Amino acid sequence: MQSPLEMLLEAIKQHCSPGEVEAARDTDAPFSAITAAAWRAAQSTGPLLSDLLAVLMQSGVQGCMADAEHVASCKQRGAAAFSRGQHRQAAALFSEALRFCDEAAAGPSGAQLAARLYCNRALCLMRLQPPRLAAAAQDASAAIICDPCFAKGWYRRAAAIHALGGSTAAALADAQHALQLLREQGSNDTAQAEALVSELQAAAGRAPALAPSGEAGSTTACTNGHATQAEIVGAAAGLQRMSLAGEQLAITEAEGAGRCLVAGQELPAGSEVLRERPFVHALTKLGRRSACSTCMAPIVDVVAPFYCRRCPVATYCSAACRDGDVSHLPGGPECGSPWPVLLPVEAVAALRLARHLRAAGADSAASSQVAALGTHLSQLPAEDLVELAALAALAHATWQLAAAEAGQEAGDADQQLAAGADGVGEDITAGEVLEALCRLRINGLAVVPTERRGIEDRLALALYPVGSLMNHSCLPNVATRFEGGALVVRTLEALAPDEPLLHCYGPQAGEMTVAQRQAMLAQQYFFTCHCRACSAAGGSDAQQVLADIAPGGLRCPASSSGGAGQCEGAVLPAEAVPAGLLHRYALPPGSGACCACGAALSTQHWQQVVLPDLQAATDAYADATAALQQQERRRDATISQREQAAAMAASATQAIRGLRQCLRLRQQHLHPQNLLLGATHDALAHAWHAAGNPQAAAQHLRHSLAVLLHAFPPSSTAVAFQRRQLAHMLRLAAAGAGPGSSATAVEDLLAEARAEDEAAEAVLQAHFGPSA
């Protein structure tokens, strides 16, 4: 079933002819002309446009707006949890209350309430074991900003600074101010403040006063260790691009490749050559749940997160990141409205990019670099261009409405909407949004966690002015990773001066066949890849051809399920295969014949025998893994840990039965080097581990690793992370060896674990440095 957005885009494509798009593409201002055509088509779709805009701009959507009732409930439950000594739970409840608290609301439900919530959470943090004193001091500082007359805020910060061993003078000043406020307010509850003042005065007499460190009392320091406010503001202004000194990198013009990033000098393997913050980014649904809205650092373990002062949409790892967010402003167009959540991440990122380019101006080195990035406007198919233009026009119209509602521009919103793509009274145009969309389509990078590389694991879409100049290879000579939102590039090979830095734009060699990779690159980036991996697999070498086909291929039709002397070749069906049956991705039609002996796979056998079996295997795999994941996510506080372990073991046993059925069917038809076989073994290892049998888990991890070693180059992180998993499981198997196990068997397991760890460490250090 299509979403309202998909229905609108489809309707626009029907109303906007390719001829109209081509004519607009040939004008002096093609982006504006194309979006104007798309907007005219959108206005002719009837209620589709107005209904979708109403949904995007709907007020009072749960989860997007402040909620006073929810705040009161969380505050009450937090106080109850604190009284029971459940300090971590109480801190989480006070955090939830802060998330939905509107600090700008008038009266006691606004800043004054927020001050008390920050102060309550600070006390919880100080009671944790170990205490989170720096975070508590940050919370106390936030309370003081909300309500400077709130004595407890000053008292709490003084206590936190003192416990941290920070500046006695700063702590004493805070404590004395707290005591002064209490007396001015006629409070009789001054004993604690007086005692703290006396203690600090005594401490000041015993030791020289230390200069204030700024760590506790300043809201510009990031207590979670990700970035200072100065770094964040500098990054947003485009001031931090290449952080390493020297002339390690250079930009040059290469024939057939355009502008690209090359080595400016000899670069040894394992060198960190670039560390860059994004010029602009937008979080995905997963990113909004798990990453800081500003620096993109993980927030799952942040004990005291911060939120937008007006709405619950944006989450931050620190007060510094909240104050440094230049996109989501409290009370601004993105605040409290569902449209930034409902629109595709590409549209939100394009709006931000257009606005940032306009705000930075031509004098900014970063904005000039971004403005020079290609859009491939002339190569985009007319149908794709219409869809991008429709999305740009819709995003721009939504932005106009949101800006008007936020009071950031004068005039009637309906008049602005009627003005359409021209953006009357707006600082950006729909044409600029379309241009930004095209730039992001070609140059944007998906920010992903270190150990997860799939598109479904994308945390954000980001644009890096320097990093975007790297060209592509399916066998890259550099490794890219993300530390929060910072792009880090390290060399995997020694690079000579003027040698290009090559990273992979999509799945690397081994993850897709050459045909898959070529089709994806041509569709997305408009070039045919001639890298060493594609050239080798496209040649006549039988082993290279097999290595390309086997990870997504079937057994040779002339072979049975095994046996010595039989053909070891692989075959791809002569028809397209949907994702998940033979490969993680959809497969284009193959030759239908074995790459080694030429034996043909008959259409009848494929459609009547192989395809149904593979579909049954896929269904069994999906059911088993879903049941296991559901049980892992379930945390029932009403039952004991033993009961939870028993429930997990039961789910694991059920999953093992389904995965065994899947493995049997896949082993019957898939080539032994097919990646789905490796994935099945990996899932079985996970299930056996959940069932409490690390020996069986280790055996399946060995099989999975063997498949990966056939598909990926030795420097692959996929192989290295699998080696780490195997080493961990081998140690668990050694630790759980029964009384009947020999010392030699245990030592063999430990020796194998050490060997796998050493092999993994060598690869991971090249990718991530010595700290890996």
Side-chain angles (χ1 to χ4, degrees), residues 317-665:
C317 67
S318 67
C321 277
R322 179 175 66 180
D323 295 342
D325 191 345
V326 296
S327 296
H328 183 107
L329 302 176
E334 293 190 15
C335 182
S337 181
W339 71 264
V341 176
L342 298 177
L343 281 180
V345 65
E346 293 80 6
V348 178
L351 279 169
R352 291 179 173 184
L353 177 55
R355 290 159 49 206
H356 287 197
L357 281 173
R358 180 65 73 93
D363 294 335
S364 164
S367 62
S368 298
Q369 171 65 27
V370 170
L373 294 174
T375 62
H376 289 270
L377 176 66
S378 62
Q379 295 167 288
L380 276 168
E383 185 173 335
D384 292 353
L385 191 52
V386 169
E387 186 165 335
L388 286 173
L391 185 58
L394 175 66
H396 181 255
T398 306
W399 168 259
Q400 285 185 298
L401 289 171
E405 191 172 285
Q408 293 195 354
E409 63 181 50
D412 181 76
D414 292 333
Q415 292 176 0
Q416 295 162 25
L417 179 57
D422 290 335
V424 174
E426 177 53 41
D427 57 342
I428 56 171
T429 67
E432 288 173 316
V433 179
L434 174 59
E435 189 172 6
L437 266 175
C438 292
R439 282 206 175 92
L440 286 165
R441 189 177 190 271
I442 301 298
N443 303 289
L445 289 180
V447 179
V448 294
T450 299
E451 297 193 21
R452 306 282 296 279
R453 308 296 292 187
I455 190 65
E456 68 274 10
D457 303 313
R458 195 170 55 152
L459 298 175
L461 175 64
L463 185 65
Y464 298 85
V466 177
S468 63
L469 293 174
M470 290 187 291
N471 277 338
H472 167 82
S473 173
C474 300
L475 276 179
N477 58 19
V478 298
T480 59
R481 75 177 193 276
F482 298 93
E483 292 183 3
L487 170 67
V488 182
V489 179
R490 292 177 63 86
T491 55
L492 295 175
E493 307 168 7
L495 300 183
D498 298 325
E499 188 172 351
L501 275 68
L502 303 172
H503 84 116
C504 188
Y505 290 1
Q508 299 183 15
E511 292 183 86
M512 280 185 172
T513 65
V514 168
Q516 286 174 299
R517 298 198 306 268
Q518 297 278 21
M520 185 274 291
L521 291 168
Q523 181 181 16
Q524 177 86 19
Y525 301 104
F526 310 106
F527 71 87
T528 300
C529 182
H530 298 291
C531 73
R532 47 187 172 171
C534 291
S535 300
S540 57
D541 183 87
Q543 287 301 315
Q544 292 287 356
V545 174
L546 176 62
D548 178 53
I549 295 176
L554 295 162
R555 291 179 176 274
C556 172
S559 299
S560 61
S561 60
Q566 299 194 29
C567 179
E568 296 181 355
V571 59
L572 293 176
E575 61 184 60
V577 184
L581 295 180
L582 269 180
H583 197 274
R584 179 182 180 183
Y585 303 98
L587 282 167
S591 67
C594 175
C595 66
C597 70
L601 172 68
S602 73
T603 302
Q604 182 179 11
H605 183 67
W606 162 250
Q607 292 181 348
Q608 296 182 6
V609 179
V610 180
L611 190 57
D613 279 356
L614 293 181
Q615 185 60 63
T618 301
D619 293 341
Y621 180 90
D623 291 344
T625 53
L628 198 58
Q629 289 169 359
Q630 183 178 7
Q631 183 60 43
E632 287 176 339
R633 287 194 297 265
R634 187 178 298 149
R635 293 290 184 267
D636 191 346
T638 64
I639 64 175
S640 66
Q641 289 186 349
R642 178 178 296 181
E643 290 172 315
Q644 289 190 38
M648 173 58 75
S651 294
T653 302
Q654 180 183 352
I656 289 168
R657 284 197 295 268
L659 289 169
R660 278 177 163 172
Q661 177 192 359
C662 171
L663 182 63
R664 178 181 59 79
L665 291 170

Side-chain angles (χ1 to χ4, degrees), residues 100-155:
F100 285 88
C101 180
D102 183 354
E103 295 183 18
S109 63
Q112 292 180 11
L113 175 58
R116 281 138 187 85
L117 291 171
Y118 282 121
C119 217
N120 289 352
R121 190 172 70 175
L123 182 58
C124 295
L125 298 174
M126 295 176 72
R127 297 287 178 87
L128 291 177
Q129 293 301 324
R132 303 297 183 90
L133 298 173
Q138 279 283 292
D139 269 3
S141 294
I144 292 168
I145 291 172
C146 288
D147 186 359
C149 296
F150 185 41
K152 275 191 179 180
W154 296 94
Y155 172 81

Side-chain angles (χ1 to χ4, degrees), residues 122-433:
L123 182 58
C124 295
L125 298 174
M126 295 176 72
R127 297 287 178 87
L128 291 177
Q129 293 301 324
R132 303 297 183 90
L133 298 173
Q138 279 283 292
D139 269 3
S141 294
I144 292 168
I145 291 172
C146 288
D147 186 359
C149 296
F150 185 41
K152 275 191 179 180
W154 296 94
Y155 172 81
R156 198 80 72 217
R157 190 168 73 177
I161 295 173
H162 183 44
L164 269 171
S167 167
T168 301
L172 179 56
D174 279 354
Q176 288 173 331
H177 191 64
L179 183 57
Q180 179 185 348
L181 285 172
L182 289 170
R183 288 171 174 167
E184 289 175 354
Q185 294 162 6
S187 172
N188 295 322
D189 188 15
T190 60
Q192 284 185 315
E194 290 171 346
L196 182 58
V197 168
S198 297
E199 183 179 349
L200 289 167
Q201 286 174 334
R206 291 192 300 268
L210 299 175
S213 65
E215 292 182 2
S218 171
T219 57
T220 61
C222 177
T223 61
N224 296 296
H226 300 307
T228 64
Q229 187 174 2
E231 288 175 326
I232 295 163
V233 173
L239 300 177
Q240 296 180 349
R241 294 296 141 214
M242 301 169 62
S243 67
L244 300 181
E247 298 179 356
Q248 297 190 91
L249 304 177
I251 298 172
T252 188
E253 192 82 21
E255 185 177 354
R259 288 191 313 150
C260 59
L261 200 61
V262 300
Q265 59 188 38
E266 288 189 6
L267 300 176
S271 302
E272 184 177 304
V273 294
L274 179 65
R275 182 177 290 263
E276 182 181 24
R277 295 190 183 276
F279 181 77
V280 72
H281 74 276
L283 295 179
T284 63
K285 180 179 180 180
L286 175 62
R288 287 191 296 271
R289 292 199 310 263
S290 59
C292 172
S293 292
T294 298
C295 72
M296 291 183 271
I299 58 172
V300 63
D301 294 323
V302 175
V303 70
F306 284 74
Y307 305 97
C308 171
R309 298 182 188 275
R310 301 294 309 274
C311 79
V313 173
T315 304
Y316 306 95
C317 67
S318 67
C321 277
R322 179 175 66 180
D323 295 342
D325 191 345
V326 296
S327 296
H328 183 107
L329 302 176
E334 293 190 15
C335 182
S337 181
W339 71 264
V341 176
L342 298 177
L343 281 180
V345 65
E346 293 80 6
V348 178
L351 279 169
R352 291 179 173 184
L353 177 55
R355 290 159 49 206
H356 287 197
L357 281 173
R358 180 65 73 93
D363 294 335
S364 164
S367 62
S368 298
Q369 171 65 27
V370 170
L373 294 174
T375 62
H376 289 270
L377 176 66
S378 62
Q379 295 167 288
L380 276 168
E383 185 173 335
D384 292 353
L385 191 52
V386 169
E387 186 165 335
L388 286 173
L391 185 58
L394 175 66
H396 181 255
T398 306
W399 168 259
Q400 285 185 298
L401 289 171
E405 191 172 285
Q408 293 195 354
E409 63 181 50
D412 181 76
D414 292 333
Q415 292 176 0
Q416 295 162 25
L417 179 57
D422 290 335
V424 174
E426 177 53 41
D427 57 342
I428 56 171
T429 67
E432 288 173 316
V433 179

Side-chain angles (χ1 to χ4, degrees), residues 63-85:
C64 294
M65 296 287 292
D67 187 336
E69 285 188 19
H70 187 58
V71 171
S73 173
C74 290
K75 182 175 182 288
Q76 184 178 16
R77 288 184 288 140
F82 183 85
S83 67
R84 295 191 300 268

